[in-house]
Amino acid sequence: MDLAFTHVCLWTLLAFVVTWTVFYVNNRRKKVAKLADVATEVRRDGGGADVIIVGAGVGGSALAYALAKDGRRVHVIERDMREPVRMMGEFMQPGGRLLLSKLGLEDCLEGIDEQIATGLAVYKDGQKALVSFPEDNDFPYEPTGRAFFNGRFVQRLRQKASSLPNVRLEEGTVKSLIEEKGVIKGVTYKTSEGEETTAFAPLTVVCDGCYSNLRRSVNDNNAEVLSYQVSYVSKNCQLEDPEKLKLIMSKPSFTMLYQISSTDVRCAMELFPGNIPSISNGEMATFLKDTMAPQVPPEFRKIFLKGIDEGAQIKAMPTKRMEATLSEKQGVIVLGDAFNMRHPAVASGMMVVLSDILILRRLIQPLRNLSDANKISEVIKSFYVIRKPMSATVNTLGNAFSQVLIASTDEAKEAMRQGCFDYLSSGGFRTSGMMALLGGMNPRPLSLIFHLCGITLSSIGQLLSPFPSPLGIWHSLRLFGLSIKMLVPHLKAEGVSQMLSPAYAAAYRKSYMAATAL
């Protein structure tokens, strides 16, 4: 009797749970549908946003300004509106400055104590090479870069975007995307007052950086940690010849010093997982003094040590690589470091996202409204392939260049490292060609392949000089294999056919060169 009664109770409880669950799910669906209907009506009445942008960093702010200038209503949701404190995104290549000017944002790099950069001073084993961005008649802008505090630049971009009446810049934390039948309808977010609410728009752009929480719900790509960039700022000092960024081919990898304001110098170096001294207990400071400082040229070693001696905050940030993938969901696009990352050795992340914004803006411009999810999907597919000539060139260059800069006791690898230094310092078309690539002034895949092959041949020449020997020939073959292994996987990952397609190259040039300032 007791057992039967227990069974009845259990079945009754189970039936209640199932009924309640079905009721909850149906009610939830009705609420989402009702909210979507309300959002549609709001848009029809002219009060809703055309685009929601998650993140107001460099990419999010620049995109908001570009779309708003085209008449779109833009709602930007940023987690923290305070000035960012970052150790990345402190250098704008000449190609990036051109893109800023085409977006009408070149003035955001003015008045922030920005520093002019004309090229590199490269050091290796007592050798020094001064290389400059080329004066190229095919490049329609001043061939110089700018170094600056990232936070100051971001704040200027936010101010410029929010100055437009059809941009709503709001502080809030986006919790999730609202999805209905594979279509992203908007976002759920918590306001700065702690209230959880929703926002709807036909197009949602996820642009919330390398630590994006939303990327996983849109794409299935994962970031690979390559190394760690350790850096700090030495204050109240100025480098000799401050217009040249100092690149030191040190061990275990490269070290860089560059002026980010009239009185501040960024000191940065690459270290690898498993060999990162502790910052908290002082081991890192000791390592920098005892191991890295002796490798820094004497003319600016005091500046390198100054920040450490004065207790500058030392930070370590992972460098990541992540291939761009196209989402199967409609109504959403991912941009910036949330979408695609490459090794920061070539300092081109901001340039790539600005290029992406120009392409996306041009593709969206002909659409009177963005409510047709199928049309938006076609735009996103076109965007994905048109960006390839630029993005694939920068991604491949960054990943290959960073591998060449790693010190090694392997004779073939070290020959490639020396070959890279010799190629950069040789002058003529080799130096100008490589600097045009590094500066984003010539984002052409064929030019990249040509110069990487040139570095390989130069390195092989080192091994076979003055006369070929069996050991030299063996190391040359190994070096050739290393260069193939370094280049081919990246080309394959980027998509060789898309990367080298004349049609896509022409479409990219149309966006890159034909865009007019807003």
Coordinates of all heavy atoms in Angstrom, one line a residue, residues 355-409:
S355 N 40.0 48.4 -42.2 CA 39.8 47.9 -43.5 C 38.5 47.1 -43.6 O 37.7 47.3 -44.6 CB 41.0 47.0 -43.9 OG 40.7 46.3 -45.2
D356 N 38.2 46.3 -42.6 CA 36.9 45.5 -42.6 C 35.7 46.5 -42.5 O 34.7 46.2 -43.2 CB 36.9 44.6 -41.4 CG 37.8 43.4 -41.6 OD1 38.3 43.1 -42.7 OD2 38.0 42.6 -40.6
I357 N 35.9 47.5 -41.8 CA 34.8 48.5 -41.7 C 34.5 49.2 -43.0 O 33.3 49.4 -43.4 CB 35.1 49.5 -40.6 CG1 35.0 48.9 -39.2 CG2 34.1 50.7 -40.6 CD1 35.6 49.7 -38.1
L358 N 35.5 49.5 -43.7 CA 35.3 50.2 -45.0 C 34.6 49.2 -46.0 O 33.7 49.7 -46.7 CB 36.7 50.5 -45.6 CG 37.2 51.9 -45.4 CD1 38.6 52.1 -46.0 CD2 36.3 53.0 -45.9
I359 N 35.0 48.0 -46.0 CA 34.4 47.0 -46.9 C 32.9 46.8 -46.5 O 32.0 46.8 -47.3 CB 35.1 45.6 -46.8 CG1 36.5 45.8 -47.3 CG2 34.4 44.6 -47.6 CD1 37.4 44.6 -47.0
L360 N 32.6 46.6 -45.2 CA 31.3 46.3 -44.7 C 30.4 47.5 -45.0 O 29.2 47.4 -45.4 CB 31.3 46.0 -43.2 CG 30.0 45.6 -42.6 CD1 29.5 44.3 -43.2 CD2 30.1 45.4 -41.1
R361 N 30.9 48.7 -44.7 CA 30.1 49.9 -45.0 C 29.7 50.0 -46.4 O 28.6 50.3 -46.8 CB 30.9 51.1 -44.5 CG 30.3 52.5 -45.0 CD 31.2 53.6 -44.6 NE 30.8 54.8 -45.3 CZ 31.5 55.4 -46.2 NH1 32.6 55.0 -46.6 NH2 31.0 56.5 -46.8
R362 N 30.7 49.8 -47.3 CA 30.4 49.9 -48.8 C 29.3 48.9 -49.2 O 28.4 49.1 -50.0 CB 31.6 49.7 -49.6 CG 31.4 50.0 -51.1 CD 32.7 49.8 -51.9 NE 33.1 48.4 -52.0 CZ 32.6 47.5 -52.8 NH1 31.6 47.9 -53.7 NH2 33.0 46.3 -52.9
L363 N 29.4 47.7 -48.6 CA 28.4 46.6 -49.0 C 27.0 46.9 -48.5 O 26.0 46.5 -49.1 CB 28.9 45.3 -48.5 CG 30.2 44.7 -49.2 CD1 30.6 43.4 -48.4 CD2 29.9 44.4 -50.6
I364 N 27.0 47.5 -47.3 CA 25.7 47.8 -46.7 C 25.0 49.1 -47.3 O 23.8 49.2 -47.3 CB 25.8 48.0 -45.2 CG1 26.1 46.6 -44.5 CG2 24.6 48.6 -44.5 CD1 26.3 46.7 -43.0
Q365 N 25.8 50.0 -47.8 CA 25.3 51.3 -48.3 C 24.1 51.2 -49.2 O 23.1 51.9 -49.1 CB 26.4 52.1 -48.9 CG 27.2 52.9 -47.9 CD 28.3 53.7 -48.6 OE1 28.8 53.3 -49.7 NE2 28.7 54.8 -48.0
P366 N 24.1 50.2 -50.2 CA 22.9 50.2 -51.1 C 21.6 49.7 -50.5 O 20.6 49.9 -51.1 CB 23.4 49.2 -52.2 CG 24.9 49.1 -52.0 CD 25.1 49.3 -50.6
L367 N 21.7 49.1 -49.3 CA 20.4 48.6 -48.7 C 19.7 49.7 -48.0 O 20.2 50.4 -47.1 CB 20.8 47.5 -47.7 CG 21.6 46.3 -48.2 CD1 21.9 45.3 -47.1 CD2 20.9 45.6 -49.4
R368 N 18.4 49.8 -48.4 CA 17.6 50.9 -47.8 C 17.3 50.6 -46.3 O 17.2 51.5 -45.5 CB 16.3 51.0 -48.6 CG 16.5 51.6 -50.0 CD 15.1 51.9 -50.6 NE 14.4 52.9 -49.8 CZ 13.1 53.3 -50.1 NH1 12.5 52.8 -51.2 NH2 12.5 54.2 -49.4
N369 N 17.0 49.3 -46.0 CA 16.9 48.9 -44.6 C 17.5 47.5 -44.5 O 17.8 46.9 -45.4 CB 15.4 48.8 -44.2 CG 14.6 47.7 -45.0 OD1 14.8 46.6 -44.7 ND2 13.8 48.1 -45.9
L370 N 17.8 47.2 -43.2 CA 18.6 46.0 -42.9 C 17.7 44.9 -42.4 O 18.2 43.9 -41.8 CB 19.6 46.3 -41.9 CG 20.5 47.5 -42.2 CD1 21.5 47.8 -41.1 CD2 21.3 47.3 -43.6
S371 N 16.4 44.9 -42.6 CA 15.5 43.9 -42.0 C 15.4 42.6 -42.8 O 14.9 41.7 -42.2 CB 14.1 44.5 -41.9 OG 13.6 44.9 -43.1
D372 N 15.9 42.6 -44.0 CA 15.9 41.4 -44.8 C 17.2 40.5 -44.4 O 18.3 40.8 -44.8 CB 16.0 41.7 -46.3 CG 15.7 40.4 -47.1 OD1 16.1 39.3 -46.7 OD2 15.1 40.5 -48.2
A373 N 16.9 39.5 -43.6 CA 18.0 38.7 -43.0 C 18.8 38.0 -44.2 O 20.0 37.8 -44.1 CB 17.5 37.7 -42.0
N374 N 18.1 37.6 -45.2 CA 18.8 36.9 -46.3 C 19.8 37.8 -47.1 O 20.9 37.4 -47.4 CB 17.8 36.3 -47.3 CG 17.0 35.2 -46.7 OD1 17.5 34.4 -45.9 ND2 15.7 35.1 -47.0
K375 N 19.3 39.1 -47.3 CA 20.2 40.0 -47.9 C 21.4 40.3 -47.1 O 22.5 40.5 -47.6 CB 19.4 41.3 -48.2 CG 18.5 41.2 -49.4 CD 17.9 42.5 -49.8 CE 17.0 42.4 -51.0 NZ 16.3 43.7 -51.3
I376 N 21.2 40.5 -45.8 CA 22.3 40.7 -44.9 C 23.3 39.6 -44.9 O 24.5 39.7 -44.8 CB 21.8 41.0 -43.4 CG1 21.0 42.3 -43.4 CG2 22.9 41.0 -42.4 CD1 21.9 43.5 -43.6
S377 N 22.8 38.3 -44.9 CA 23.6 37.2 -45.0 C 24.5 37.2 -46.3 O 25.7 36.8 -46.2 CB 22.8 35.9 -45.0 OG 22.2 35.7 -43.7
E378 N 23.9 37.6 -47.4 CA 24.7 37.7 -48.6 C 25.8 38.8 -48.5 O 26.9 38.6 -49.0 CB 23.8 38.0 -49.8 CG 22.8 36.9 -50.2 CD 23.5 35.6 -50.5 OE1 24.5 35.7 -51.3 OE2 23.1 34.5 -50.0
V379 N 25.4 39.9 -47.8 CA 26.4 40.9 -47.6 C 27.6 40.4 -46.8 O 28.8 40.6 -47.1 CB 25.8 42.1 -46.9 CG1 26.8 43.0 -46.3 CG2 24.9 42.9 -47.9
I380 N 27.3 39.6 -45.7 CA 28.3 39.1 -44.8 C 29.2 38.1 -45.6 O 30.4 38.1 -45.4 CB 27.7 38.5 -43.6 CG1 27.0 39.6 -42.7 CG2 28.7 37.7 -42.7 CD1 26.1 39.0 -41.6
K381 N 28.6 37.3 -46.4 CA 29.4 36.3 -47.2 C 30.3 37.0 -48.1 O 31.5 36.7 -48.3 CB 28.5 35.4 -48.0 CG 27.7 34.4 -47.1 CD 26.8 33.5 -47.9 CE 26.0 32.6 -47.0 NZ 24.9 31.8 -47.8
S382 N 29.8 38.1 -48.8 CA 30.7 38.9 -49.7 C 31.8 39.6 -48.9 O 33.0 39.6 -49.4 CB 29.8 40.0 -50.4 OG 28.9 39.4 -51.2
F383 N 31.5 40.1 -47.8 CA 32.5 40.7 -46.9 C 33.6 39.8 -46.5 O 34.8 40.1 -46.6 CB 31.8 41.2 -45.6 CG 32.7 41.5 -44.5 CD1 33.5 42.6 -44.4 CD2 32.8 40.5 -43.4 CE1 34.4 42.8 -43.3 CE2 33.7 40.7 -42.4 CZ 34.5 41.9 -42.3
Y384 N 33.2 38.5 -46.2 CA 34.2 37.5 -45.8 C 35.3 37.3 -46.9 O 36.4 37.1 -46.5 CB 33.4 36.3 -45.4 CG 34.3 35.1 -44.9 CD1 34.9 35.2 -43.6 CD2 34.6 34.1 -45.7 CE1 35.7 34.2 -43.2 CE2 35.5 33.0 -45.3 CZ 36.0 33.1 -44.0 OH 36.8 32.1 -43.6
V385 N 34.9 37.2 -48.1 CA 35.8 36.9 -49.2 C 36.5 38.2 -49.7 O 37.7 38.1 -50.0 CB 35.2 36.2 -50.3 CG1 34.7 34.8 -49.9 CG2 34.0 36.9 -50.9
I386 N 35.9 39.3 -49.7 CA 36.5 40.5 -50.2 C 37.6 41.0 -49.3 O 38.6 41.6 -49.7 CB 35.4 41.7 -50.4 CG1 34.5 41.3 -51.5 CG2 36.1 43.0 -50.6 CD1 33.3 42.3 -51.7
R387 N 37.5 40.7 -48.0 CA 38.5 41.1 -47.0 C 39.8 40.3 -47.1 O 40.9 40.7 -46.6 CB 38.0 41.0 -45.6 CG 37.8 39.6 -45.1 CD 37.2 39.6 -43.7 NE 38.0 40.2 -42.7 CZ 38.9 39.5 -42.0 NH1 39.2 38.2 -42.2 NH2 39.6 40.1 -41.1
K388 N 39.8 39.2 -47.8 CA 40.9 38.2 -47.8 C 42.2 38.8 -48.3 O 43.2 38.6 -47.7 CB 40.5 37.0 -48.7 CG 39.6 36.0 -47.9 CD 40.4 35.4 -46.8 CE 39.5 34.3 -46.1 NZ 40.3 33.7 -45.0
P389 N 42.2 39.5 -49.5 CA 43.6 40.0 -49.9 C 44.3 40.8 -48.8 O 45.5 40.7 -48.7 CB 43.2 40.9 -51.1 CG 42.0 40.3 -51.6 CD 41.2 39.8 -50.4
M390 N 43.6 41.7 -48.1 CA 44.2 42.5 -47.0 C 44.5 41.6 -45.8 O 45.6 41.5 -45.3 CB 43.3 43.7 -46.7 CG 43.7 44.4 -45.4 SD 45.3 45.1 -45.5 CE 45.1 46.5 -44.4
S391 N 43.4 41.0 -45.3 CA 43.6 40.3 -44.0 C 44.5 39.1 -44.1 O 45.3 38.9 -43.2 CB 42.2 39.8 -43.5 OG 41.6 38.9 -44.4
A392 N 44.4 38.4 -45.2 CA 45.3 37.2 -45.3 C 46.8 37.6 -45.5 O 47.7 37.0 -44.9 CB 44.9 36.4 -46.6
T393 N 47.0 38.8 -46.1 CA 48.4 39.3 -46.3 C 48.9 39.6 -44.9 O 50.1 39.2 -44.5 CB 48.4 40.5 -47.2 OG1 48.0 40.1 -48.5 CG2 49.8 41.0 -47.3
V394 N 48.2 40.4 -44.1 CA 48.6 40.8 -42.8 C 48.8 39.6 -41.8 O 49.7 39.5 -41.1 CB 47.7 41.9 -42.2 CG1 48.0 42.2 -40.8 CG2 47.7 43.1 -43.1
N395 N 47.8 38.7 -41.9 CA 47.8 37.6 -41.0 C 49.0 36.7 -41.3 O 49.7 36.2 -40.3 CB 46.6 36.7 -41.1 CG 45.3 37.4 -40.6 OD1 45.4 38.4 -39.9 ND2 44.1 36.9 -41.0
T396 N 49.3 36.4 -42.5 CA 50.4 35.5 -42.9 C 51.7 36.2 -42.6 O 52.7 35.6 -42.1 CB 50.3 35.2 -44.4 OG1 49.1 34.6 -44.7 CG2 51.4 34.2 -44.8
L397 N 51.8 37.5 -42.9 CA 53.0 38.3 -42.6 C 53.3 38.3 -41.1 O 54.4 38.0 -40.6 CB 52.9 39.7 -43.1 CG 54.1 40.7 -42.8 CD1 55.4 40.2 -43.4 CD2 53.7 42.1 -43.2
G398 N 52.3 38.6 -40.3 CA 52.5 38.6 -38.8 C 52.9 37.3 -38.3 O 53.9 37.2 -37.5
N399 N 52.3 36.2 -38.7 CA 52.7 34.9 -38.1 C 54.0 34.4 -38.6 O 54.8 33.8 -37.9 CB 51.6 33.9 -38.5 CG 50.2 34.2 -37.8 OD1 50.2 34.7 -36.7 ND2 49.1 34.0 -38.5
A400 N 54.4 34.7 -39.9 CA 55.7 34.3 -40.4 C 56.8 35.2 -39.8 O 57.8 34.6 -39.4 CB 55.7 34.4 -41.9
F401 N 56.6 36.5 -39.8 CA 57.6 37.4 -39.3 C 57.9 37.1 -37.8 O 59.1 37.1 -37.4 CB 57.1 38.8 -39.4 CG 58.2 39.9 -39.2 CD1 59.3 39.9 -39.9 CD2 57.9 40.9 -38.2 CE1 60.3 40.9 -39.6 CE2 58.9 41.8 -38.0 CZ 60.1 41.9 -38.7
S402 N 56.9 36.8 -37.0 CA 57.1 36.5 -35.6 C 57.9 35.2 -35.4 O 58.8 35.1 -34.5 CB 55.8 36.3 -34.9 OG 55.1 35.2 -35.3
Q403 N 57.7 34.2 -36.3 CA 58.5 33.0 -36.2 C 60.0 33.2 -36.6 O 60.9 32.6 -36.0 CB 57.9 31.9 -37.1 CG 56.6 31.4 -36.6 CD 56.0 30.4 -37.5 OE1 56.6 29.3 -37.8 NE2 54.8 30.6 -38.0
V404 N 60.2 34.1 -37.5 CA 61.6 34.4 -37.9 C 62.3 35.1 -36.8 O 63.5 34.9 -36.7 CB 61.6 35.3 -39.2 CG1 63.0 35.8 -39.5 CG2 61.1 34.5 -40.4
L405 N 61.6 35.9 -36.0 CA 62.3 36.7 -35.0 C 62.7 35.8 -33.7 O 63.4 36.3 -32.9 CB 61.4 37.8 -34.5 CG 61.1 38.9 -35.5 CD1 60.1 39.9 -35.0 CD2 62.4 39.6 -35.9
I406 N 62.2 34.6 -33.6 CA 62.6 33.7 -32.5 C 64.0 33.3 -32.6 O 64.4 32.7 -33.6 CB 61.6 32.5 -32.4 CG1 60.2 33.0 -32.3 CG2 62.0 31.6 -31.3 CD1 59.2 31.9 -32.4
A407 N 64.8 33.5 -31.5 CA 66.2 33.0 -31.5 C 66.2 31.5 -31.4 O 65.4 30.9 -30.8 CB 66.9 33.7 -30.3
S408 N 67.3 30.9 -32.0 CA 67.4 29.5 -32.0 C 68.9 29.1 -32.1 O 69.7 29.8 -32.7 CB 66.6 28.9 -33.1 OG 66.8 27.5 -33.2
T409 N 69.2 28.0 -31.5 CA 70.6 27.4 -31.7 C 70.7 26.6 -33.0 O 71.7 26.1 -33.4 CB 71.0 26.5 -30.5 OG1 69.9 25.5 -30.3 CG2 71.1 27.4 -29.2

